[in-house]
């Protein structure tokens, strides 16, 4: 179970003194007050594994209950929404300095890693093994010990970005990741709005649906826009992803996230219900959960507290669609934190019960851990 591995991780890191941690570059968790604030703030759908007291960031696993914990994507917090950083827990990147990205960016770092390789290796390998690593960091060592790979002053930002992309696609060659990067490359054309993907975007659903709904909203200002009915369907997707994660911004060139919040979801929703809108909303869309939620959010605006998401989560659960029920509960937690914070334990308990009914036991254990922290605040 992933929760036990996180606890074991902390035990391993506790064996190092503060001096050793600084020397080895280990970033040691755990500011529990910060973790509790995250849960109280409606982000109970993550399992935090590092929370640093000296800055705003935390490192977390985003709980997707239908997947095993080893496949939960890694996210990080900033002043805004949580942003995905990896398809899975990248222990090299999140707990220690040595990772490919720094090697792409810093010649000094490459040299430092080579000269202190034995120390780094000794510190990293127990944690790496804990989370399923089987090799001896051979790829990292091979890359960094070849000086021809080290960046120079002539290395451009575009070259670094391309190396990062190649590495991400190597780690995650799945269709969803390939599609996301293809989408990002085409997104620079502000007249580009393809049809929604006809496959499950997986962990990239938030990023992709957020991009689509935001783009559709902006394209409605174009006089000769010829897809108003399709736009209505796309705009409604703004309520269909888990709010609080991976909100689209105008800067999606690397496909890793933005610096904004899910409050931007009101932009496409308001476009849909504007009295000046020329969109024809098909009658069949008016009977969907998305339409119901979007209409309630439009009516409440910044006072929205998540109640429509809670209602539809129950309906989706009864209809045999637990994944969508989960997503709506996550969104309910996000919005309730703003004007209905006392509802968090109720929403979290509903998520625990949903996991129990569907046999999502690893997620249930993580959520019960978060409930214990919430009740002890």
């Amino acid at each position: 179970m992933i929760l036990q591995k996180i606890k074991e991780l902390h035990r391993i890191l506790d064996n190092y003194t503060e001096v050793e941690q600084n020397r080895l570059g280990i970033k040691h968790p755990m500011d529990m007050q910060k973790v509790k604030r995250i849960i109280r703030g409606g982000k109970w759908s993550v399992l935090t594994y590092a929370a640093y007291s000296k800055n705003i960031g935390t490192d977390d696993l985003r709980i997707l209950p239908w997947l095993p914990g080893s496949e939960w994507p890694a996210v990080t917090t900033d002043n805004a929404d949580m942003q995905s950083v990896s398809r899975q827990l990248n222990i090299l990147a999140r707990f220690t300095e040595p990772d490919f990205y720094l090697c792409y960016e810093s010649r000094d770092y490459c040299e430092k890693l080579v000269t202190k390789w034995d120390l780094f290796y000794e510190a990293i390998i127990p944690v790496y093994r804990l989370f399923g690593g089987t090799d001896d960091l051979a790829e990292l060592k091979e890359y960094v010990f070849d000086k021809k790979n080290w960046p120079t002053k002539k290395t451009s930002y575009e070259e670094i970005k391309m190396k990062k992309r190649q590495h991400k696609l190597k780690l995650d060659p799945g269709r969803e990741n390939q599609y996301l990067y293809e989408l990002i490359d085409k997104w620079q054309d502000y007249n580009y709005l393809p049809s929604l993907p006809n496959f499950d975007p997986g962990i990239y659903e938030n990023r992709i649906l957020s991009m689509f709904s935001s783009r559709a909203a902006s394209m409605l200002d174009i006089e000769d826009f010829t897809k108003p009915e399709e736009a209505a369907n796309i705009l409604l997707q703004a309520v269909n992803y888990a709010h609080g994660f991976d909100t689209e911004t105008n800067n999606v060139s690397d496909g890793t996230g933005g610096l904004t919040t899910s409050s931007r979801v009101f932009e496409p929703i308001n476009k849909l219900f504007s009295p000046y809108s020329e969109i024809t909303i098909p009658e069949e869309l008016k009977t969907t959960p998305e339409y119901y939620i979007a209409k309630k959010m439009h009516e409440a605006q910044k006072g929205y507290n998540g109640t429509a998401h809670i209602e539809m989560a129950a309906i989706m659960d009864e209809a045999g669609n637990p994944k969508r029920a989960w997503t709506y509960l996550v969104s309910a937690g996000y919005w309730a934190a703003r004007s209905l914070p006392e509802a968090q334990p109720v929403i979290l308990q509903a998520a625990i019960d949903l996991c129990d009914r569907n046999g999502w036991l690893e997620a249930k254990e993580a959520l019960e851990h978060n409930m214990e922290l919430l009740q002890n605040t």
Side-chain angles (χ1 to χ4, degrees):
M1 291 289 193
I2 193 67
L3 182 59
Q4 279 67 45
K5 288 189 176 183
I6 296 295
K7 290 178 179 179
E8 176 64 12
L9 167 71
H10 295 168
R11 189 194 67 77
I12 291 173
L13 296 183
D14 279 335
N15 288 332
Y16 294 103
T17 66
E18 185 174 352
V19 172
E20 288 172 329
Q21 290 172 21
N22 291 335
R23 182 185 66 184
L24 296 171
I26 293 173
K27 301 176 179 67
H28 187 274
M30 187 78 153
D31 182 344
M32 293 308 299
Q33 293 305 313
K34 182 174 288 187
V35 177
K36 292 176 182 179
R37 285 198 299 273
I38 288 174
I39 298 171
R40 285 199 306 270
K43 300 290 182 63
W44 42 258
S45 60
V46 301
L47 180 59
T48 299
Y49 60 87
Y52 316 123
S53 58
K54 295 183 180 180
N55 61 35
I56 61 174
T58 64
D59 290 320
D60 324 81
L61 293 179
R62 181 182 165 197
I63 300 171
L64 298 179
W66 48 90
L67 297 177
S70 59
E71 296 181 21
W72 293 348
V75 296
T76 188
T77 57
D78 51 27
N79 276 327
D81 282 2
M82 290 185 166
Q83 305 297 340
S84 296
V85 293
S86 174
R87 184 179 179 88
Q88 54 197 341
L89 179 57
N90 183 346
I91 202 64
L92 294 181
R94 309 317 299 167
F95 280 102
T96 61
E97 289 186 331
D99 65 86
F100 277 92
Y101 296 167
L102 280 173
C103 294
Y104 298 150
E105 297 173 2
S106 170
R107 189 177 184 87
D108 290 342
Y109 181 75
C110 290
E111 184 174 3
K112 176 184 176 182
L113 187 55
V114 169
T115 56
K116 294 187 176 182
W117 177 261
D118 290 342
L119 288 174
F120 281 124
Y121 179 86
E122 181 182 353
I124 295 166
I125 207 67
V127 176
Y128 186 60
R129 292 275 186 267
L130 177 66
F131 288 93
T134 55
D135 61 74
D136 287 333
L137 308 180
E139 186 179 2
L140 176 61
K141 185 176 182 180
E142 181 180 354
Y143 184 93
V144 78
F145 273 73
D146 186 348
K147 290 187 178 181
K148 294 194 297 293
N149 294 324
W150 293 9
T152 68
K153 292 181 179 179
K154 294 182 179 180
T155 304
S156 68
Y157 169 75
E158 288 300 318
E159 289 179 87
I160 294 172
K161 188 173 74 172
M162 185 54 62
K163 284 187 175 183
K164 288 182 178 180
R165 175 181 293 199
Q166 289 170 347
H167 186 61
K168 283 190 173 183
L169 288 172
K170 182 176 181 179
L171 290 174
D172 178 12
R175 181 182 183 184
E176 306 95 321
N177 206 19
Q178 297 282 351
Y179 175 83
L180 177 60
Y181 275 112
E182 291 171 4
L183 195 65
I184 288 166
D185 287 339
K186 296 175 181 177
W187 219 244
Q188 308 312 312
D189 177 0
Y190 291 101
N191 292 318
Y192 178 68
L193 181 67
S195 298
L196 288 163
N198 59 1
F199 61 90
D200 183 357
I203 68 167
Y204 303 106
E205 179 180 60
N206 270 39
R207 168 64 55 204
I208 291 169
L209 293 185
S210 181
M211 289 171 69
F212 268 89
S213 59
S214 180
R215 174 56 58 86
S218 64
M219 290 186 74
L220 288 173
D221 294 328
I222 302 173
E223 289 185 7
D224 58 351
F225 184 59
T226 59
K227 299 180 180 179
E229 279 144 12
E230 183 177 351
N233 182 39
I234 291 174
L235 291 172
L236 285 174
Q237 301 308 314
V239 305
N240 247 355
Y241 55 85
H243 296 155
F245 295 91
D246 288 334
T247 306
E248 197 273 336
T249 71
N250 292 325
N251 180 20
V252 292
S253 58
D254 63 356
T256 57
L259 298 174
T260 187
T261 73
S262 286
S263 294
R264 283 193 59 167
V265 76
F266 286 107
E267 178 185 349
I269 290 174
N270 290 341
K271 286 277 187 178
L272 186 66
F273 291 102
S274 168
Y276 307 105
S277 173
E278 297 180 2
I279 298 175
T280 300
I281 303 177
E283 288 300 316
E284 61 267 22
L285 289 183
K286 293 182 180 180
T287 62
T288 61
E290 295 91 336
Y291 182 86
Y292 177 81
I293 294 173
K295 196 168 188 301
K296 291 294 185 181
M297 292 184 71
H298 177 69
E299 291 169 355
Q301 291 296 306
K302 292 184 179 179
Y304 180 65
N305 58 22
T307 51
H309 278 94
I310 295 173
E311 290 178 55
M312 284 300 146
I315 291 174
M316 289 293 101
D317 185 20
E318 291 177 5
N321 191 345
K323 286 187 180 181
R324 188 54 58 196
W326 168 266
T327 299
Y328 286 160
L329 285 175
V330 171
S331 293
Y334 176 87
W335 294 108
R338 281 147 182 75
S339 55
L340 197 65
E342 65 275 11
Q344 291 301 344
V346 177
I347 300 171
L348 176 50
Q349 186 59 55
I352 292 171
D353 294 341
L354 180 70
C355 290
D356 188 39
R357 286 193 298 275
N358 288 279
W360 297 334
L361 301 184
E362 198 163 12
K364 179 187 175 187
E365 182 184 44
L367 293 178
E368 288 174 338
H369 169 75
N370 286 349
M371 178 68 88
E372 184 178 352
L373 292 175
L374 179 63
Q375 292 174 336
N376 292 331
T377 55

